[in-house]
Amino acid sequence: MSEEKQIYDVDPQGAMHCARCGVPLEAREVVFEYLDNAFQVRLPVCPSCGFIYVPEELAEGKVLSVEKILEDK
């Protein structure tokens, strides 16, 4: 098994930091695009490198269900 590269850290107060840049992630509006459809979502983003943290429950829940709906059209 390969080691998974850490892309963010959580400090003792619960704030997330970009592992590459070492700066706190900031909540920002981002746009998901899929099959010519766009969806605005507020997610933690690194203000330095632009890394966007997508929580697992969002990726495997809402995003997956939207993908299935759009693919069925």
Side-chain angles (χ1 to χ4, degrees):
M1 268 187 155
S2 64
E3 271 189 48
E4 189 174 317
K5 183 178 177 185
Q6 187 163 351
I7 51 178
Y8 70 94
D9 295 313
V10 179
D11 69 19
Q13 289 77 32
M16 293 192 301
H17 292 76
C18 179
R20 180 187 308 158
C21 304
V23 298
L25 301 183
E26 299 175 352
R28 294 189 180 174
E29 292 291 323
V30 298
V31 178
F32 277 105
E33 292 185 29
Y34 189 75
L35 293 177
D36 297 324
N37 292 280
F39 308 92
Q40 262 193 320
V41 183
R42 192 163 180 82
L43 292 173
V45 177
C46 176
S48 181
C49 71
F51 163 74
I52 301 170
Y53 173 76
V54 179
E56 184 176 353
E57 58 273 4
L58 177 62
E60 292 183 352
K62 251 184 178 173
V63 174
L64 184 60
S65 65
V66 169
E67 284 179 3
K68 287 180 181 179
I69 291 167
L70 293 173
E71 287 175 355
D72 289 342
K73 285 186 174 185

Coordinates of all heavy atoms in Angstrom, one line a residue:
M1 N 0.8 -1.2 0.0 CA 0.0 0.0 0.0 C 0.9 1.2 0.0 O 1.8 1.3 0.7 CB -0.9 0.0 1.3 CG -2.2 -0.6 1.1 SD -3.1 -0.2 2.6 CE -4.7 -0.4 2.0
S2 N 0.5 2.2 -0.8 CA 1.2 3.5 -0.8 C 0.7 4.4 0.3 O -0.4 4.4 0.7 CB 1.1 4.2 -2.2 OG -0.2 4.5 -2.4
E3 N 1.7 5.2 0.8 CA 1.3 6.2 1.8 C 0.5 7.3 1.2 O 0.8 7.8 0.1 CB 2.5 6.8 2.5 CG 3.0 6.0 3.6 CD 4.1 6.7 4.4 OE1 3.9 7.9 4.7 OE2 5.1 6.1 4.7
E4 N -0.6 7.7 1.9 CA -1.4 8.8 1.4 C -0.7 10.2 1.8 O -0.3 10.3 2.9 CB -2.8 8.8 2.0 CG -3.8 9.7 1.4 CD -5.2 9.5 1.9 OE1 -5.6 8.4 2.0 OE2 -5.8 10.5 2.2
K5 N -0.6 11.1 0.8 CA 0.1 12.4 1.1 C -0.9 13.2 1.9 O -2.1 13.4 1.4 CB 0.5 13.0 -0.2 CG 1.2 14.3 0.0 CD 1.6 14.9 -1.4 CE 2.2 16.2 -1.2 NZ 2.5 16.9 -2.4
Q6 N -0.5 13.8 2.9 CA -1.4 14.7 3.7 C -1.4 16.1 3.0 O -0.4 16.7 2.7 CB -0.8 14.9 5.1 CG -1.8 15.6 6.0 CD -1.5 15.5 7.5 OE1 -0.7 14.6 7.9 NE2 -2.2 16.2 8.3
I7 N -2.7 16.5 2.8 CA -2.9 17.8 2.1 C -3.4 18.9 3.0 O -3.5 20.1 2.6 CB -3.8 17.6 0.9 CG1 -5.0 16.9 1.3 CG2 -3.0 16.9 -0.2 CD1 -6.0 16.7 0.1
Y8 N -3.8 18.6 4.2 CA -4.3 19.6 5.2 C -4.0 19.1 6.6 O -3.9 17.9 6.8 CB -5.7 19.9 5.0 CG -6.7 18.8 5.4 CD1 -7.2 18.8 6.7 CD2 -7.0 17.8 4.5 CE1 -8.1 17.8 7.1 CE2 -7.9 16.8 4.9 CZ -8.4 16.8 6.2 OH -9.2 15.8 6.5
D9 N -3.9 20.0 7.5 CA -3.7 19.7 8.9 C -4.9 20.3 9.7 O -5.4 21.3 9.3 CB -2.4 20.3 9.5 CG -1.2 19.6 8.8 OD1 -1.1 18.4 8.7 OD2 -0.3 20.4 8.4
V10 N -5.2 19.8 10.9 CA -6.2 20.4 11.8 C -5.4 20.6 13.1 O -4.9 19.7 13.7 CB -7.4 19.4 12.0 CG1 -8.4 20.0 13.0 CG2 -8.0 19.1 10.7
D11 N -5.5 21.9 13.5 CA -4.8 22.3 14.8 C -5.6 21.9 16.0 O -6.8 21.5 15.8 CB -4.3 23.8 14.7 CG -5.5 24.7 14.8 OD1 -6.6 24.4 15.2 OD2 -5.3 25.9 14.5
P12 N -5.1 22.0 17.2 CA -5.9 21.6 18.4 C -7.2 22.4 18.6 O -8.1 21.9 19.2 CB -4.9 22.0 19.5 CG -3.5 21.9 18.9 CD -3.7 22.4 17.5
Q13 N -7.3 23.6 18.0 CA -8.5 24.4 18.1 C -9.5 24.0 17.0 O -10.6 24.5 16.9 CB -8.3 25.9 18.0 CG -7.6 26.4 19.2 CD -6.1 26.1 19.3 OE1 -5.4 26.0 18.3 NE2 -5.6 26.0 20.5
G14 N -9.1 23.1 16.1 CA -10.0 22.6 15.1 C -9.9 23.3 13.7 O -10.7 23.0 12.8
A15 N -9.0 24.3 13.6 CA -8.9 25.0 12.4 C -8.0 24.2 11.4 O -7.1 23.5 11.8 CB -8.2 26.4 12.6
M16 N -8.4 24.2 10.1 CA -7.7 23.4 9.1 C -6.7 24.3 8.5 O -6.9 25.5 8.2 CB -8.7 22.9 8.0 CG -9.6 21.8 8.6 SD -10.5 20.9 7.3 CE -11.3 22.2 6.4
H17 N -5.5 23.8 8.2 CA -4.4 24.5 7.6 C -3.9 23.7 6.3 O -3.9 22.5 6.4 CB -3.2 24.6 8.5 CG -3.5 25.5 9.7 ND1 -4.2 25.2 10.7 CD2 -3.1 26.8 9.9 CE1 -4.3 26.2 11.6 NE2 -3.6 27.2 11.1
C18 N -3.5 24.4 5.3 CA -2.9 23.8 4.1 C -1.6 23.2 4.5 O -0.7 23.9 5.1 CB -2.8 24.8 3.0 SG -2.0 24.1 1.5
A19 N -1.4 21.9 4.3 CA -0.1 21.2 4.6 C 1.0 21.8 3.8 O 2.2 21.8 4.2 CB -0.2 19.7 4.5
R20 N 0.8 22.1 2.5 CA 1.8 22.6 1.6 C 2.2 24.1 2.0 O 3.4 24.4 2.1 CB 1.3 22.7 0.2 CG 2.3 23.2 -0.8 CD 1.8 23.4 -2.2 NE 1.1 22.2 -2.7 CZ 0.2 22.2 -3.6 NH1 -0.1 23.3 -4.2 NH2 -0.4 21.1 -4.0
C21 N 1.3 24.9 2.3 CA 1.6 26.4 2.5 C 1.6 26.7 4.0 O 2.2 27.7 4.4 CB 0.5 27.2 1.9 SG 0.3 26.9 0.1
G22 N 1.0 25.9 4.9 CA 1.0 26.2 6.3 C 0.0 27.3 6.7 O 0.1 27.8 7.9
V23 N -0.8 27.8 5.8 CA -1.8 28.8 6.2 C -3.1 28.3 6.4 O -3.5 27.2 5.9 CB -1.8 29.9 5.1 CG1 -0.5 30.6 4.9 CG2 -2.3 29.3 3.8
P24 N -4.0 29.0 7.3 CA -5.3 28.5 7.5 C -6.2 28.5 6.3 O -6.1 29.4 5.4 CB -5.8 29.5 8.6 CG -4.7 30.2 9.1 CD -3.6 30.2 8.0
L25 N -7.0 27.5 6.2 CA -8.0 27.5 5.1 C -9.1 28.5 5.4 O -9.5 28.7 6.5 CB -8.6 26.1 4.9 CG -7.6 25.0 4.6 CD1 -8.3 23.7 4.3 CD2 -6.7 25.3 3.4
E26 N -9.6 29.2 4.3 CA -10.7 30.2 4.5 C -11.9 29.7 3.8 O -11.8 29.2 2.7 CB -10.2 31.5 3.9 CG -9.0 32.1 4.5 CD -8.6 33.4 3.8 OE1 -9.1 33.7 2.7 OE2 -7.6 34.0 4.3
A27 N -13.1 29.9 4.4 CA -14.4 29.6 3.7 C -14.6 30.5 2.5 O -14.6 31.8 2.7 CB -15.5 29.7 4.7
R28 N -14.8 30.0 1.4 CA -15.0 30.8 0.1 C -16.0 30.1 -0.7 O -16.2 28.9 -0.7 CB -13.7 30.9 -0.6 CG -12.7 31.8 0.1 CD -11.5 32.1 -0.9 NE -10.5 32.9 -0.2 CZ -9.4 33.2 -0.7 NH1 -9.1 32.8 -1.9 NH2 -8.5 33.9 0.0
E29 N -16.6 30.9 -1.6 CA -17.6 30.3 -2.6 C -16.7 29.7 -3.7 O -15.8 30.4 -4.3 CB -18.5 31.4 -3.2 CG -19.5 32.0 -2.2 CD -20.5 31.0 -1.8 OE1 -21.0 30.2 -2.6 OE2 -20.9 31.0 -0.6
V30 N -17.0 28.5 -4.1 CA -16.3 27.8 -5.2 C -17.4 27.2 -6.1 O -18.6 27.1 -5.7 CB -15.4 26.7 -4.7 CG1 -14.3 27.2 -3.9 CG2 -16.1 25.6 -4.0
V31 N -17.0 26.9 -7.3 CA -18.0 26.5 -8.3 C -17.6 25.0 -8.7 O -16.5 24.8 -9.1 CB -18.0 27.4 -9.5 CG1 -19.0 26.8 -10.6 CG2 -18.5 28.8 -9.1
F32 N -18.6 24.1 -8.6 CA -18.4 22.8 -9.1 C -19.0 22.8 -10.5 O -20.1 23.3 -10.7 CB -19.2 21.7 -8.3 CG -18.5 21.2 -7.1 CD1 -18.9 21.7 -5.9 CD2 -17.5 20.3 -7.2 CE1 -18.3 21.2 -4.7 CE2 -16.9 19.8 -6.0 CZ -17.3 20.3 -4.8
E33 N -18.3 22.2 -11.5 CA -18.9 22.1 -12.8 C -18.9 20.6 -13.2 O -17.9 19.9 -13.0 CB -18.0 22.9 -13.8 CG -18.1 24.4 -13.6 CD -17.4 25.1 -14.7 OE1 -17.3 24.6 -15.9 OE2 -17.0 26.3 -14.4
Y34 N -20.0 20.2 -13.7 CA -20.2 18.8 -14.2 C -21.2 18.7 -15.3 O -22.3 19.2 -15.1 CB -20.6 17.9 -13.0 CG -20.5 16.4 -13.3 CD1 -19.3 15.8 -13.4 CD2 -21.7 15.7 -13.5 CE1 -19.3 14.4 -13.7 CE2 -21.7 14.4 -13.8 CZ -20.4 13.7 -13.9 OH -20.4 12.4 -14.2
L35 N -20.8 18.1 -16.4 CA -21.8 18.0 -17.5 C -22.5 19.3 -17.9 O -23.7 19.3 -17.9 CB -22.8 16.9 -17.2 CG -22.2 15.4 -17.1 CD1 -23.3 14.5 -16.8 CD2 -21.5 15.0 -18.4
D36 N -21.7 20.3 -18.1 CA -22.2 21.7 -18.4 C -23.2 22.3 -17.4 O -24.0 23.1 -17.7 CB -22.9 21.6 -19.8 CG -22.0 21.2 -20.9 OD1 -20.8 21.6 -20.9 OD2 -22.4 20.5 -21.9
N37 N -23.1 21.8 -16.2 CA -23.9 22.4 -15.1 C -22.9 22.9 -14.0 O -21.9 22.3 -13.8 CB -24.8 21.4 -14.5 CG -25.9 21.0 -15.4 OD1 -26.9 21.7 -15.5 ND2 -25.7 19.8 -16.1
A38 N -23.3 24.1 -13.4 CA -22.4 24.7 -12.4 C -23.2 24.8 -11.1 O -24.4 25.2 -11.1 CB -21.9 26.0 -12.9
F39 N -22.5 24.6 -10.0 CA -23.1 24.6 -8.7 C -22.2 25.4 -7.7 O -21.0 25.1 -7.6 CB -23.4 23.2 -8.1 CG -24.1 22.3 -9.0 CD1 -23.4 21.5 -9.9 CD2 -25.5 22.3 -9.0 CE1 -24.1 20.7 -10.7 CE2 -26.1 21.5 -9.9 CZ -25.4 20.7 -10.7
Q40 N -22.7 26.4 -7.1 CA -21.9 27.2 -6.1 C -22.0 26.6 -4.7 O -23.1 26.2 -4.3 CB -22.3 28.6 -6.0 CG -21.5 29.6 -6.8 CD -21.8 31.0 -6.5 OE1 -22.9 31.4 -6.3 NE2 -20.7 31.8 -6.5
V41 N -20.8 26.4 -4.1 CA -20.8 25.8 -2.7 C -19.7 26.6 -1.9 O -18.7 27.0 -2.5 CB -20.3 24.3 -2.8 CG1 -20.3 23.7 -1.5 CG2 -21.2 23.5 -3.8
R42 N -19.9 26.7 -0.6 CA -19.0 27.4 0.3 C -18.1 26.3 0.9 O -18.7 25.5 1.6 CB -19.7 28.2 1.3 CG -18.9 29.2 2.1 CD -19.7 30.2 2.8 NE -18.9 31.1 3.5 CZ -18.3 32.2 3.0 NH1 -18.4 32.4 1.7 NH2 -17.6 33.0 3.8
L43 N -16.8 26.3 0.6 CA -15.9 25.3 1.1 C -14.6 26.0 1.6 O -14.3 27.1 1.2 CB -15.6 24.3 0.0 CG -16.7 23.4 -0.5 CD1 -16.2 22.6 -1.7 CD2 -17.1 22.5 0.6
P44 N -13.8 25.2 2.5 CA -12.5 25.7 2.9 C -11.5 25.7 1.7 O -11.4 24.7 1.0 CB -12.1 24.7 4.0 CG -13.3 24.0 4.4 CD -14.2 24.0 3.2
V45 N -10.8 26.9 1.5 CA -9.9 27.0 0.4 C -8.6 27.6 1.0 O -8.6 28.5 1.9 CB -10.5 28.0 -0.6 CG1 -9.5 28.3 -1.7 CG2 -11.8 27.5 -1.2
C46 N -7.5 27.2 0.5 CA -6.2 27.8 0.8 C -6.0 29.1 0.1 O -6.1 29.1 -1.2 CB -5.0 26.8 0.5 SG -3.4 27.6 0.8
P47 N -5.9 30.2 0.8 CA -5.7 31.5 0.1 C -4.4 31.6 -0.7 O -4.3 32.5 -1.5 CB -5.8 32.5 1.2 CG -5.4 31.8 2.4 CD -5.8 30.4 2.2
S48 N -3.5 30.8 -0.4 CA -2.2 30.8 -1.0 C -2.1 30.0 -2.3 O -1.8 30.6 -3.4 CB -1.1 30.4 -0.1 OG 0.2 30.5 -0.6
C49 N -2.4 28.7 -2.2 CA -2.2 27.8 -3.4 C -3.5 27.5 -4.1 O -3.5 26.9 -5.2 CB -1.5 26.6 -3.0 SG -2.4 25.4 -2.0
G50 N -4.7 27.8 -3.5 CA -6.0 27.5 -4.1 C -6.5 26.1 -3.8 O -7.6 25.8 -4.4
F51 N -5.8 25.3 -3.0 CA -6.4 24.0 -2.7 C -7.8 24.1 -2.1 O -8.0 25.0 -1.3 CB -5.4 23.3 -1.6 CG -6.1 22.2 -0.9 CD1 -6.2 21.0 -1.5 CD2 -6.5 22.3 0.4 CE1 -6.8 19.9 -0.8 CE2 -7.1 21.3 1.1 CZ -7.2 20.1 0.5
I52 N -8.7 23.3 -2.6 CA -10.1 23.3 -2.1 C -10.3 22.0 -1.3 O -10.1 20.9 -1.9 CB -11.1 23.4 -3.2 CG1 -10.8 24.7 -4.0 CG2 -12.5 23.4 -2.7 CD1 -11.6 24.8 -5.3
Y53 N -10.7 22.1 -0.1 CA -11.0 20.9 0.7 C -12.5 20.6 0.5 O -13.4 21.4 0.8 CB -10.8 21.2 2.2 CG -11.2 20.1 3.1 CD1 -10.5 18.9 3.2 CD2 -12.4 20.2 3.8 CE1 -10.9 17.9 4.0 CE2 -12.8 19.1 4.7 CZ -12.1 18.0 4.7 OH -12.5 17.0 5.5
V54 N -12.7 19.4 0.0 CA -14.1 18.9 -0.2 C -14.3 17.8 0.8 O -13.7 16.7 0.7 CB -14.3 18.3 -1.6 CG1 -15.7 17.8 -1.8 CG2 -14.0 19.4 -2.7
P55 N -15.2 18.0 1.8 CA -15.4 17.0 2.8 C -16.0 15.7 2.2 O -16.7 15.7 1.2 CB -16.5 17.6 3.7 CG -16.4 19.1 3.5 CD -16.0 19.2 2.1
E56 N -15.6 14.6 2.8 CA -16.0 13.3 2.3 C -17.5 13.1 2.2 O -18.0 12.6 1.2 CB -15.4 12.2 3.2 CG -15.7 10.8 2.7 CD -15.0 9.7 3.5 OE1 -14.2 10.0 4.5 OE2 -15.3 8.5 3.3
E57 N -18.2 13.6 3.2 CA -19.7 13.4 3.2 C -20.3 14.2 2.0 O -21.3 13.8 1.5 CB -20.3 13.8 4.5 CG -20.0 15.2 5.0 CD -18.7 15.4 5.8 OE1 -18.0 14.4 5.9 OE2 -18.5 16.5 6.2
L58 N -19.7 15.3 1.6 CA -20.2 16.1 0.5 C -19.9 15.4 -0.8 O -20.7 15.2 -1.7 CB -19.6 17.5 0.4 CG -20.0 18.4 -0.8 CD1 -21.5 18.6 -0.8 CD2 -19.2 19.7 -0.7
A59 N -18.6 14.9 -1.0 CA -18.2 14.2 -2.2 C -18.9 12.9 -2.4 O -19.3 12.6 -3.5 CB -16.7 13.9 -2.1
E60 N -19.2 12.2 -1.4 CA -19.8 10.9 -1.5 C -21.4 11.0 -1.3 O -22.0 10.0 -1.6 CB -19.3 9.9 -0.5 CG -17.8 9.5 -0.8 CD -17.3 8.5 0.1 OE1 -17.9 8.1 1.1 OE2 -16.2 8.0 -0.2
G61 N -21.8 12.1 -0.9 CA -23.3 12.3 -0.7 C -23.9 13.1 -1.8 O -24.3 12.6 -2.8
K62 N -23.9 14.4 -1.6 CA -24.6 15.3 -2.5 C -24.0 15.3 -3.9 O -24.7 15.2 -4.9 CB -24.5 16.7 -1.9 CG -25.8 17.3 -1.5 CD -25.6 18.7 -1.0 CE -26.9 19.3 -0.6 NZ -26.9 20.6 0.0
V63 N -22.7 15.4 -4.0 CA -22.1 15.4 -5.3 C -22.3 14.2 -6.1 O -22.7 14.2 -7.3 CB -20.5 15.7 -5.2 CG1 -19.9 15.6 -6.6 CG2 -20.3 17.0 -4.6
L64 N -22.2 13.0 -5.4 CA -22.5 11.7 -6.1 C -24.0 11.7 -6.6 O -24.2 11.2 -7.7 CB -22.2 10.6 -5.2 CG -22.3 9.2 -5.8 CD1 -21.4 9.0 -7.0 CD2 -22.0 8.1 -4.7
S65 N -24.9 12.1 -5.8 CA -26.3 12.1 -6.2 C -26.6 13.0 -7.3 O -27.4 12.7 -8.2 CB -27.3 12.4 -5.0 OG -27.1 13.7 -4.5
V66 N -26.0 14.2 -7.3 CA -26.1 15.2 -8.5 C -25.5 14.6 -9.7 O -26.1 14.7 -10.8 CB -25.5 16.5 -8.1 CG1 -25.4 17.4 -9.4 CG2 -26.3 17.2 -7.0
E67 N -24.4 13.9 -9.6 CA -23.8 13.3 -10.8 C -24.7 12.2 -11.4 O -24.9 12.2 -12.6 CB -22.5 12.6 -10.4 CG -21.3 13.5 -10.2 CD -20.0 12.7 -9.8 OE1 -20.1 11.5 -9.7 OE2 -19.0 13.4 -9.5
K68 N -25.3 11.4 -10.6 CA -26.2 10.4 -11.1 C -27.4 11.0 -11.8 O -27.9 10.5 -12.8 CB -26.7 9.5 -9.9 CG -25.6 8.6 -9.4 CD -26.0 7.7 -8.3 CE -24.9 6.8 -7.8 NZ -25.2 5.9 -6.7
I69 N -28.0 12.1 -11.2 CA -29.1 12.7 -11.8 C -28.8 13.3 -13.1 O -29.5 13.1 -14.1 CB -29.7 13.8 -10.8 CG1 -30.3 13.2 -9.6 CG2 -30.7 14.7 -11.6 CD1 -30.6 14.2 -8.5
L70 N -27.6 14.0 -13.2 CA -27.2 14.6 -14.5 C -26.9 13.6 -15.5 O -27.2 13.8 -16.7 CB -26.1 15.5 -14.2 CG -26.4 16.8 -13.4 CD1 -25.1 17.5 -13.1 CD2 -27.4 17.7 -14.1
E71 N -26.3 12.5 -15.1 CA -25.9 11.4 -16.1 C -27.2 10.7 -16.7 O -27.1 10.2 -17.8 CB -25.0 10.4 -15.5 CG -23.6 11.0 -15.3 CD -22.7 10.0 -14.6 OE1 -23.1 9.0 -14.1 OE2 -21.5 10.4 -14.4
D72 N -28.2 10.7 -15.9 CA -29.5 10.0 -16.3 C -30.3 10.9 -17.3 O -31.2 10.4 -17.9 CB -30.4 9.7 -15.1 CG -29.8 8.5 -14.3 OD1 -28.9 7.8 -14.8 OD2 -30.2 8.4 -13.2
K73 N -29.9 12.2 -17.4 CA -30.7 13.0 -18.3 C -30.4 12.7 -19.8 O -29.4 12.3 -20.2 CB -30.3 14.5 -18.1 CG -31.0 15.0 -16.8 CD -30.7 16.5 -16.7 CE -31.5 17.0 -15.5 NZ -31.4 18.5 -15.4

